[in-house]
């Protein structure tokens, strides 16, 4: 099905009068003004000084510019001139029409522009080759557009002519030999500009530029060797105003007005117009981004309610009150957190962090972790349904088979010199030998492993930094003036300072390694020589995501699952590189490591989003401002349309890839670690509302118009999202069990509390073990000048530490007691129960929700049925006319018995297309 701008009536040319057949004119069955156009082309004389250069047409004002190439004629560039001469000659041999703008006409006085027009014959030929679908009948299935209480959504709606720029049609694959089968009112508007530039680029990618070596071909190689400086299709007008040409659609202006302005952040997206202007691949990205943002709103509301629950029950936090109580927490002496430079400290100093931790570590945490496990399933299942609807509406139902045949990469064709017989097509095709493929894959895999190892090494370095500077911060901040600040003094602790500085250093390392690895990943993917564009993107996607997964999430994994888990106990501490290193493993505060995981998550996630938006919006704007600084004041009559677009930034082949990568990394943050920060979906929602408009503004105003490309789905990203969804259930179960203090508190409340009613009174004292100070080894004992005055003035013989171990004097002193094993069993039981509950619900929901909506299935079946029926009628009509013509010709020569129409057997339409 397609929304086409052709005839809106139900009848096809099968049912029309066939003047073309009877007249004997060879015009392929068209009822068009081709003679008039030919006259215009031959006689158009337009004064160049009077014609506005802000136009998308050749100088004759008739032929549309479908593509533009630019180049600079170097003094010593004879080879480039020869390549251009051969290439442009081959363009014309292929049927394309060209027109050159001399450098004297350009703003900089040195750039030539080659304008390319694709005539109808070439369009029809390659529309047939590329299996482009064209309307053949108006859609006769009524749509139920009535939504209950739809008036509530009126402020969010766009005008119907923007949302649906084309009528609704049934479509069939274009066939040049059956051209009068389709609904064609004007052959010049049959294919939108996005389809036209896609066909031109298909040709440009395969036309040779050397007479000696036919393998030297394609515009991409000419761009790489500097023969041409750029290649791009044109925007149809300036984005802030309509084109003065009435024949120009001004779709760019419509997109900017209704979609790309930040004031439209609450409006729906005109997806059909985006698809028509940019192509299906960009359209499917914005459809996915909009759907993801919409689904985030539900998660954000639930996360906000969980946070509000934490605020509302703030005063019920008994264990935090005990920590802050001077008679309880103020009397508990804690063991030093590092060797030599850390002194004894009182539990009450963690009062503020304990209250903060409760906001995210409460009963609602468990509920939200389970909810997000179900939410992510609903998101993926409903997206499959949305994607299936778009596949049908955008004529992508059978695209998967097409892309394997039609999107063979020119680089693959040129680099693979070996040929072999294709058993399906029985034609010789290029291929890469198995030995070469294996060698390239091994080298590629080794490179990826090296870079992942480099990330892990950098993370170990950051951990070592944390361990090394903690003692320094503890010593420096002991008498720091920040302690005297009334509001933030208690917040600035050695743990906080270490966590924040380490997170910032880690963020910088992430950005630097990311910048370097992107280039390496592209190089090694090119080296593998993937066969198709889809295979190329999938290989690059896997490489980039594996790297980014380790790069962005490793620090969060360390805090969530390693910090505070392997610290040993006083007198027998664990060290990162052994006792000789002096780098003692970090401990969690009595409030737990969850608040530190929250800090890490916020810094990396928010920092990445802010940096990403600055990079996406500001950098292209500054580059465009600098490039066009001397030309932006020119009137449009002098500043040509091709020069305006030439001065914009090039999106590049991987421009959309980075957009997906950014969102998928964000998706990982809000699912893998969401149990530690219920407000993460809210932050992601706020970012994505801005992201949609930033991307729209960037595509519409700052980038050249990209070459349209087809895509029936989000590709390999869908499998990655499914992988993250499954993995997130496991990570959140472990966060609730091992990072949060939820399970130990529940075990104490319902098992160890001796009162009649479940209470948390005494939990802090119960959760801390005792150590005899006199048993400290010299290498662990604090220096005398590091201990606070209150410790030196008192007579303290024991200190507390976070663990469940027997006290000194017990026959099993300093070994894990039964509480430890009870809590461990409860944690493991919770993980098993939560995972099974969530996975059962996930699979049930996935089974319950069909991937393809029932109305879409009905429409697909209806379209396939109509194609068979109409093609049959078309062939019958064509045969009838042919027989009638033969009868008239031979009537006077000999008697001919011709079968009547009723005698022609009607082909029975297969019933399986209706079931």
């Amino acid at each position: 099905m397609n929304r086409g701008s052709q005839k809106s009536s139900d009848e096809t040319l099968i049912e029309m009068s066939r003047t073309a057949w009877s007249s004997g004119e060879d015009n392929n069955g068209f009822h068009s003004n081709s003679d008039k156009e030919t006259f215009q082309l031959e006689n158009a004389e337009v004064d160049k000084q009077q014609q506005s250069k802000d136009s998308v047409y050749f100088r004759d004002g008739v032929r549309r510019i479908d593509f533009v190439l630019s180049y600079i004629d170097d003094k010593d560039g004879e080879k480039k001139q020869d390549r251009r001469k051969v290439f442009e000659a081959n363009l014309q041999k292929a049927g394309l029409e060209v027109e050159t703008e001399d450098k004297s006409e350009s703003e900089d006085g040195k750039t030539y522009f080659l304008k390319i027009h694709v005539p109808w014959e070439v369009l029809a030929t390659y529309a047939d080759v590329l299996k482009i679908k064209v309307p053949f009948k108006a859609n006769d299935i009524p749509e139920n557009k009535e939504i209950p209480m739809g008036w509530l959504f009126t402020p969010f709606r766009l005008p119907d002519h923007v949302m649906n720029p084309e009528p609704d049609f049934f479509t069939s694959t274009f066939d040049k030999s059956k051209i009068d089968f389709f609904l064609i009112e004007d052959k010049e508007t049959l294919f939108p500009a996005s389809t036209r530039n896609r066909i031109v680029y298909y040709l440009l990618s395969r036309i040779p530029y050397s007479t000696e070596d036919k393998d030297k071909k394609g515009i991409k190689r000419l761009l790489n060797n500097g023969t041409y400086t750029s290649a791009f299709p044109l925007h149809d007008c300036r984005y802030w105003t309509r084109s003065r040409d009435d024949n120009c659609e001004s779709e760019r202006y419509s997109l900017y007005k209704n979609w790309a302005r930040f004031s439209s952040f609450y409006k729906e997206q005109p997806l059909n117009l985006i698809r028509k202007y940019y192509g299906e691949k960009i359209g499917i990205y914005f459809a996915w981004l909009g759907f993801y943002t919409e689904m985030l709103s539900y998660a954000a509301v639930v996360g906000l309610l969980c946070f509000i629950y934490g605020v509302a029950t703030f005063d019920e936090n008994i264990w935090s009150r005990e920590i802050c109580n001077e008679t309880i927490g103020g009397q508990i002496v804690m063991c030093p957190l590092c060797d030599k430079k850390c002194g004894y400290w009182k539990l009450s100093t963690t009062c503020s962090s304990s209250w903060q931790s409760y906001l995210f570590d409460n009963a609602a945490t468990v509920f939200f972790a389970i909810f997000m496990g179900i939410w992510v399933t609903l998101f993926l299942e409903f997206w499959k349904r949305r994607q299936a609807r778009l596949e049908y509406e955008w004529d992508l139902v059978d695209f998967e088979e097409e892309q394997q045949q039609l999107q063979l990469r020119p680089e693959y064709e040129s680099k693979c010199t070996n040929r072999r017989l294709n058993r399906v097509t029985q034609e010789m095709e290029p291929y890469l030998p198995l030995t070469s493929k294996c060698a390239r894959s091994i080298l590629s895999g080794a490179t990826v492993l090296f870079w992942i190892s480099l990330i892990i090494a950098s993370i170990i370095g950051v951990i070592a930094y944390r361990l090394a500077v903690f003692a320094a911060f503890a010593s420096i901040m002991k008498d720091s003036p920040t302690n005297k600040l009334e509001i933030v003094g208690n917040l600035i602790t050695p743990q906080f300072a270490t966590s924040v500085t380490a997170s910032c250093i880690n963020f910088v390392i992430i950005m630097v390694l990311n910048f370097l690895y992107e280039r390496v990943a592209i190089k090694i993917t090119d080296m593998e020589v993937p066969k198709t564009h889809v295979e190329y993107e999938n290989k690059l996607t896997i490489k980039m995501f594996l790297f980014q997964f380790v790069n962005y999430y490793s620090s969060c994994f360390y805090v969530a699952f390693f910090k505070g888990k392997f610290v040993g106990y006083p007198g027998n501490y664990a060290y990162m590189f052994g006792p000789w290193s002096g780098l003692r493993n970090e401990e969690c505060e009595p409030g737990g490591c969850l608040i530190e995981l929250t800090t890490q998550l916020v810094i990396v996630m928010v920092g990445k989003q802010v940096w990403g938006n600055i990079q996406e919006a500001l950098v292209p704007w500054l580059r465009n401002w600098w490039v066009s600084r001397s030309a932006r004041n020119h009137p449009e009559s002098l500043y040509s349309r091709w020069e305006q677009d030439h001065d914009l930034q090039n999106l590049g082949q991987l421009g959309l890839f980075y957009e997906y990568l950014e969102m998928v990394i964000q998706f990982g943050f809000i699912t893998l670690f969401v149990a530690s920060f219920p407000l993460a979906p809210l932050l992601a929602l706020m970012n994505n509302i801005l992201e949609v408009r930033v991307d729209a503004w960037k595509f519409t105003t700052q980038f050249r118009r990209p070459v349209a490309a087809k895509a029936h789905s989000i590709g390999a990203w869908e499998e990655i999202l499914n992988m993250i969804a499954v993995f997130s259930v496991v990570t959140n179960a472990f966060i609730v069990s091992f990072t949060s203090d939820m399970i130990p508190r529940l075990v104490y409340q319902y098992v160890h509390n001796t009162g009649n009613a479940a209470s948390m009174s005494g939990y802090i004292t119960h959760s801390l073990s005792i150590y005899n100070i006199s048993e400290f080894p010299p290498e662990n004992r604090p220096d005398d000048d590091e201990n606070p005055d209150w410790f030196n003035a008192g007579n303290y013989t024991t200190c507390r530490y976070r663990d469940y171990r027997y006290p000194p004097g017990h026959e099993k002193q300093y070994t894990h007691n039964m509480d430890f094993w009870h809590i461990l069993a409860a944690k493991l039981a919770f993980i098993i129960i939560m995972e099974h509950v969530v996975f059962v619900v996930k699979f049930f929901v996935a089974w319950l929700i069909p991937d393809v909506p029932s109305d879409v299935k009905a429409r697909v079946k209806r379209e396939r049925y109509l194609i068979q029926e109409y093609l049959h009628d078309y062939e019958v009509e064509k045969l009838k006319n042919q027989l009638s013509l033969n009868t008239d010709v031979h009537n006077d020569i000999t008697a001919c018995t011709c079968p009547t129409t009723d005698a022609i057997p009607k082909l029975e339409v297969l019933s399986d297309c209706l079931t």
Side-chain angles (χ1 to χ4, degrees):
M1 192 210 55
N2 184 41
R3 298 185 178 274
S5 59
Q6 290 70 41
K7 296 180 181 178
S8 59
S9 63
D10 288 348
E11 63 179 2
T12 67
L13 290 179
I14 301 171
E15 299 152 347
M16 292 181 177
S17 60
R18 301 187 177 270
T19 56
W21 293 99
S22 59
S23 64
E25 295 178 5
D26 185 17
N27 60 356
N28 290 325
F30 277 109
H31 308 279
S32 62
N33 53 355
S34 58
D35 293 338
K36 179 181 177 182
E37 290 178 1
T38 303
F39 176 79
Q40 287 177 330
L41 290 176
E42 292 175 351
N43 298 281
E45 294 292 340
V46 181
D47 188 349
K48 290 170 59 178
Q49 299 301 322
Q50 295 178 359
Q51 182 190 20
S52 172
K53 294 179 72 176
D54 188 30
S55 170
V56 293
Y57 292 92
F58 276 19
R59 297 190 192 101
D60 55 38
V62 176
R63 292 174 294 174
R64 188 184 184 101
I65 302 172
D66 295 309
F67 224 88
V68 174
L69 307 181
S70 68
Y71 62 92
I72 297 175
D73 198 1
D74 300 331
K75 295 179 180 179
D76 53 350
E78 292 184 5
K79 289 185 178 180
K80 294 179 182 179
Q81 290 179 5
D82 293 339
R83 292 192 203 110
R84 283 194 294 267
K85 185 177 180 180
V86 173
F87 186 69
E88 291 169 18
N90 288 333
L91 286 179
Q92 292 175 305
K93 286 181 182 178
L96 299 178
E97 298 175 3
V98 299
E99 184 176 84
T100 303
E101 288 288 331
D102 191 75
K103 64 181 180 180
S104 61
E105 298 288 330
S106 65
E107 186 275 331
D108 61 4
K110 58 182 180 180
T111 303
Y112 292 85
F113 291 95
L114 181 71
K115 298 176 289 185
I116 300 174
H117 169 75
V118 52
W120 166 253
E121 280 300 318
V122 179
L123 272 177
T125 300
Y126 284 94
D128 195 342
V129 170
L130 295 175
K131 307 299 180 187
I132 293 171
K133 292 189 175 182
V134 175
F136 70 92
K137 185 184 187 304
N139 186 4
D140 57 4
I141 301 179
E143 288 190 26
N144 184 17
K145 294 185 177 180
E146 294 185 4
I147 301 175
M149 301 184 70
W151 56 272
L152 291 174
F153 302 97
T154 302
F156 309 103
R157 303 292 186 194
L158 289 173
D160 188 64
H161 72 275
V162 177
M163 290 299 299
N164 302 305
E166 301 174 320
D168 201 357
F169 289 100
F170 289 119
T171 60
S172 177
T173 302
F174 185 78
D175 188 340
K176 190 179 179 182
S177 64
K178 299 179 176 65
I179 207 161
D180 52 345
F181 170 73
F182 302 99
L183 289 172
I184 303 175
E185 187 176 74
D186 184 356
K187 65 177 183 288
E188 291 302 321
T189 60
L190 174 62
F191 300 108
S194 57
T195 301
R196 296 174 70 99
N197 72 57
R198 178 181 162 221
I199 290 174
V200 175
Y201 189 75
Y202 180 85
L203 286 167
L204 292 176
S205 300
R206 287 157 176 80
I207 289 178
Y209 57 84
S210 173
T211 55
E212 299 174 356
D213 187 354
K214 294 299 181 182
D215 288 333
K216 292 184 177 181
K217 58 186 177 181
I219 187 63
K220 189 173 180 180
R221 296 179 72 175
L222 291 174
L223 291 171
N224 290 338
N225 60 33
T227 303
Y228 290 99
T229 56
S230 63
F232 54 92
L234 289 180
H235 284 295
D236 59 3
C237 65
R238 296 189 176 194
Y239 67 84
W240 65 85
T241 183
R242 290 186 179 276
S243 173
R244 295 182 179 181
D245 192 335
D246 294 335
N247 295 324
C248 187
E249 301 87 351
S250 297
E251 290 174 346
R252 186 190 188 192
Y253 167 76
S254 183
L255 285 170
Y256 175 73
K257 179 183 177 182
N258 298 286
W259 177 53
R261 292 194 297 188
F262 295 100
S263 58
S264 303
F265 73 92
Y266 61 95
K267 296 281 190 179
E268 61 184 336
Q269 296 189 86
L271 294 177
N272 289 319
L273 184 57
I274 296 169
R275 174 249 182 169
K276 182 185 176 188
Y277 191 76
Y278 289 113
E280 288 80 3
K281 192 171 185 179
I282 290 178
I284 206 83
Y285 163 72
F286 280 104
W288 177 82
L289 179 58
F291 184 80
Y292 171 46
T293 304
E294 180 183 341
M295 290 295 291
L296 268 178
S297 61
Y298 303 108
V301 169
V302 177
L304 182 61
L305 291 176
C306 291
F307 179 76
I308 292 173
Y309 171 83
V311 175
T313 59
F314 200 64
D315 294 335
E316 301 175 12
N317 183 6
I318 296 175
W319 55 92
S320 292
R321 288 210 300 264
E322 289 184 350
I323 290 176
C324 299
N325 193 323
E326 287 299 323
T327 61
I328 303 177
Q331 298 302 316
I332 296 178
V333 177
M334 301 297 294
C335 298
L337 294 174
C338 63
D339 296 338
K340 297 290 188 179
K341 296 299 181 182
C342 296
Y344 298 95
W345 53 285
K346 289 187 177 180
L347 182 61
S348 57
T349 58
T350 62
C351 175
S352 297
S353 62
S354 176
W355 285 107
Q356 295 166 22
S357 180
Y358 176 77
L359 293 175
F360 307 108
D361 189 6
N362 51 62
T365 300
V366 180
F367 165 77
F368 192 61
I370 295 174
F371 168 80
M372 287 301 293
I374 299 172
W375 173 87
V376 73
T377 303
L378 291 172
F379 164 65
L380 293 173
E381 291 302 317
F382 282 123
W383 166 247
K384 289 178 185 177
R385 291 171 61 84
R386 177 70 173 132
Q387 187 171 262
R389 188 177 297 278
L390 289 175
E391 281 184 31
Y392 170 69
E393 292 178 353
W394 292 356
D395 299 327
L396 301 169
V397 174
D398 302 318
F399 175 65
E400 190 169 2
E401 292 79 11
E402 297 171 20
Q403 66 188 10
Q404 298 300 324
Q405 302 171 7
L406 304 176
Q407 292 191 356
L408 200 67
R409 296 177 67 237
E411 294 85 354
Y412 180 85
E413 293 177 309
S414 61
K415 291 182 180 179
C416 298
T417 56
N418 297 306
R419 296 287 189 273
R420 67 180 176 188
L421 184 68
N422 186 311
R423 295 182 180 179
V424 178
T425 63
Q426 292 297 305
E427 295 178 357
M428 299 300 292
E429 65 174 9
Y431 81 101
L432 194 65
L434 182 62
T435 53
S436 177
K437 184 180 293 186
C438 290
R440 292 168 187 267
S441 298
I442 291 172
L443 181 59
S444 174
T447 306
V448 174
L449 287 176
F450 168 77
W451 278 87
I452 290 177
S453 302
L454 188 62
I455 301 172
I456 295 174
S458 67
I459 295 301
I460 292 174
V462 173
I463 295 172
Y465 163 83
R466 299 171 71 107
L467 302 179
V469 302
F470 177 78
F473 276 129
S475 179
I476 293 171
M477 299 178 70
K478 179 180 59 176
D479 299 318
S480 174
T482 58
N483 294 332
K484 300 179 176 61
L485 297 177
E486 294 182 2
I487 299 177
V488 299
N490 293 330
L491 301 178
I492 305 176
T493 62
Q495 292 93 336
F496 178 81
T498 302
S499 178
V500 170
T501 56
S503 298
C504 292
I505 292 173
N506 181 64
F507 176 72
V508 173
I509 292 175
I510 285 173
M511 291 295 112
V512 172
L513 289 178
N514 182 43
F515 175 81
L516 297 174
Y517 180 75
E518 283 180 4
R519 285 142 184 82
V520 174
I522 294 172
K523 290 287 186 183
I524 59 178
T525 306
D526 290 338
M527 179 199 66
E528 290 184 70
V529 197
K531 185 175 183 179
T532 64
H533 292 286
V534 174
E535 185 181 348
Y536 180 90
E537 290 186 2
N538 289 345
K539 284 178 177 290
L540 183 62
T541 297
I542 297 300
K543 290 183 183 67
M544 287 296 294
F545 181 75
L546 283 175
F547 178 85
Q548 301 282 18
F549 186 91
V550 179
N551 198 16
Y552 280 107
Y553 302 143
S554 55
S555 59
C556 292
F557 271 100
Y558 165 73
V559 175
F561 306 122
F562 295 98
K563 183 181 177 182
K565 308 300 186 295
F566 311 99
V567 297
Y569 61 92
N572 188 26
Y573 286 118
Y575 293 82
M576 186 175 183
F577 301 113
W580 60 269
S581 65
L583 299 177
R584 200 174 98 187
N585 290 346
E586 287 183 282
E587 297 183 40
C588 291
E589 295 182 7
C593 276
L594 195 72
I595 188 63
E596 187 170 342
L597 176 59
T598 302
T599 303
Q600 182 78 20
L601 185 64
V602 170
I603 289 176
V604 176
M605 178 181 171
V606 175
K608 182 185 181 302
Q609 291 180 165
V610 171
W611 175 255
N613 284 325
I614 291 174
Q615 201 172 25
E616 286 184 22
L618 189 60
V619 173
W621 181 82
L622 288 174
R623 286 177 177 173
N624 289 336
W625 177 85
W626 180 256
V627 170
S628 62
R629 62 192 184 281
S630 60
R632 56 179 174 267
N633 294 323
H634 288 186
E636 77 174 38
S637 60
L638 297 179
Y639 195 25
S640 64
R641 161 77 8 236
W642 44 91
E643 286 181 281
Q644 293 174 43
D645 286 9
H646 178 265
D647 289 343
L648 297 177
Q649 296 300 300
N650 182 31
L651 180 64
Q653 183 182 355
L654 300 175
L656 208 57
F657 169 83
Y658 296 119
E659 303 295 342
Y660 273 118
L661 183 63
E662 179 185 5
M663 288 296 101
V664 172
I665 292 296
Q666 182 204 80
F667 181 81
F669 279 123
I670 68 162
T671 53
L672 294 173
F673 308 102
V674 75
S676 67
F677 189 45
L679 293 180
L682 179 61
L683 293 180
L685 174 64
M686 293 165 57
N687 174 80
N688 286 10
I689 290 173
L690 181 65
E691 179 77 22
V692 171
R693 305 304 160 178
V694 168
D695 285 350
W697 174 81
K698 181 177 63 177
F699 274 81
T700 308
T701 68
Q702 303 301 309
F703 282 99
R704 297 170 186 160
R705 187 174 185 172
V707 178
K710 280 204 168 191
H712 74 295
S713 68
I714 60 175
W717 297 112
E718 192 167 344
E719 293 303 318
I720 290 174
L721 291 174
N722 281 312
M723 181 198 73
I724 294 176
V726 173
F727 196 38
S728 66
V729 177
V730 180
T731 57
N732 282 301
F734 272 85
I735 287 173
V736 173
S737 292
F738 288 97
T739 310
S740 164
D741 269 356
M742 180 59 61
I743 303 302
R745 288 200 296 262
L746 290 175
V747 171
Y748 177 81
Q749 185 173 1
Y750 294 106
V751 177
H752 294 283
N753 194 291
T754 57
N756 295 328
S759 172
M760 292 302 297
S761 297
Y763 168 72
I764 289 298
T765 304
H766 175 81
S767 65
L768 298 174
S769 297
I770 302 173
Y771 185 75
N772 192 336
I773 291 177
S774 62
E775 298 180 12
F776 260 121
E779 60 272 14
N780 299 139
R781 187 179 297 121
D783 295 337
D784 293 337
D785 58 346
E786 297 296 339
N787 290 323
D789 295 336
W790 57 262
F791 181 82
N792 295 326
N795 185 20
Y796 298 97
T797 58
T798 61
C799 63
R800 298 292 191 102
Y801 60 98
R802 182 183 171 85
D803 209 342
Y804 291 90
R805 294 179 182 270
Y806 288 110
H810 193 279
E811 60 180 355
K812 297 181 180 178
Q813 68 173 9
Y814 305 139
T815 60
H816 287 124
N817 57 25
M818 290 305 298
D819 289 339
F820 172 84
W821 300 110
H822 289 160
I823 291 172
L824 180 61
K827 289 180 176 180
L828 296 177
F830 174 83
I831 291 173
I832 294 172
I833 293 172
M834 178 179 168
E835 287 182 357
H836 281 71
V837 168
V838 174
F839 280 132
V840 167
V841 174
K842 280 170 65 71
F843 292 134
F844 176 74
V845 169
W847 170 81
L848 189 65
I849 302 174
D851 291 347
V852 182
S854 58
D855 65 313
V856 172
K857 288 182 180 179
R859 287 169 181 267
V860 171
K861 292 174 182 177
R862 171 71 176 162
E863 187 169 285
R864 288 175 176 170
Y865 166 78
L866 287 175
I867 290 173
Q868 292 188 31
E869 183 181 50
Y870 271 58
L871 278 174
H872 169 263
D873 292 344
Y874 170 82
E875 294 294 343
V876 169
E877 188 79 12
K878 189 174 180 180
L879 179 60
K880 184 178 101 172
N881 287 337
Q882 187 66 40
L883 292 175
S884 299
L885 184 63
N886 292 338
T887 300
D888 294 339
V889 171
H890 298 289
N891 189 38
D892 295 332
I893 301 175
T894 182
C896 176
T897 304
C898 298
T900 63
T901 305
D902 295 335
I904 300 175
K906 184 169 182 177
L907 183 65
E908 184 178 349
V909 179
L910 297 178
S911 59
D912 61 350
C913 68
L914 297 175
T915 57

